[in-house]
Amino acid sequence: YLMLILGGRNSELFLRIISMNSENNKILVKNSKYLLSRMDLALCWEQNKDQFLEMCEKIQDLLNISTEDMKYAFKLTTEAIKSASSRSTNTKERTTEVWNVVKDIKLLSKCETI
């Protein structure tokens, strides 16, 4: 837990730790499960897509991973990508609403008539 607090928003560090743990083991170890369950995986995906995908590949390549652990890891990564996509869509919608060129032009034309 302390490591997550100290690491803050450094998603690359945590993705590397999980990748290294997966590389050196044949199963999804308890420490990696803990990090996966506590991390903001959507943020990790947004900040480090390549590192995120590498971590997923390392988990996928585990020789003795249980079906339960594989389902768990797949569920978490799927939720992260959905969440990141949702954030991206919401940001685009907000940006469109905040900066509306037609609205700005109408506002400027009103100023000229005053």
Side-chain angles (χ1 to χ4, degrees):
Y1 179 73
L2 182 60
M3 191 169 94
L4 286 170
I5 292 172
L6 293 174
R9 296 178 64 91
N10 187 355
S11 60
E12 183 179 358
L13 169 69
F14 298 116
L15 292 171
R16 285 187 189 275
I17 289 170
I18 294 170
S19 292
M20 286 173 37
N21 281 342
S22 299
E23 195 172 276
N24 298 328
N25 292 288
K26 294 181 180 183
I27 61 169
L28 189 61
V29 295
K30 189 187 294 188
N31 293 344
S32 293
K33 287 183 200 180
Y34 181 84
L35 287 174
L36 285 169
S37 67
R38 303 290 190 290
M39 291 168 49
D40 182 350
L41 292 175
L43 176 67
C44 294
W45 169 254
E46 291 169 343
Q47 290 182 344
N48 296 297
K49 285 183 177 62
D50 291 338
Q51 191 71 38
F52 186 92
L53 292 172
E54 181 182 321
M55 176 203 66
C56 291
E57 288 172 359
K58 299 278 186 187
I59 292 172
Q60 176 185 327
D61 291 341
L62 290 170
L63 296 176
N64 295 329
I65 189 167
S66 69
T67 303
E68 180 182 322
D69 285 347
M70 184 58 86
K71 284 181 180 180
Y72 177 69
F74 184 72
K75 176 183 174 245
L76 289 175
T77 54
T78 302
E79 288 173 357
I81 293 170
K82 283 181 182 178
S83 179
S85 296
S86 174
R87 286 190 213 181
S88 176
T89 302
N90 290 340
T91 302
K92 288 177 188 173
E93 289 173 5
R94 278 195 306 262
T95 303
T96 304
E97 292 172 9
V98 171
W99 188 39
N100 185 334
V101 176
V102 175
K103 186 178 177 181
D104 289 343
I105 291 172
K106 286 179 182 178
L107 183 62
L108 285 173
S109 65
K110 286 182 182 178
C111 290
E112 289 174 4
T113 58
I114 294 179

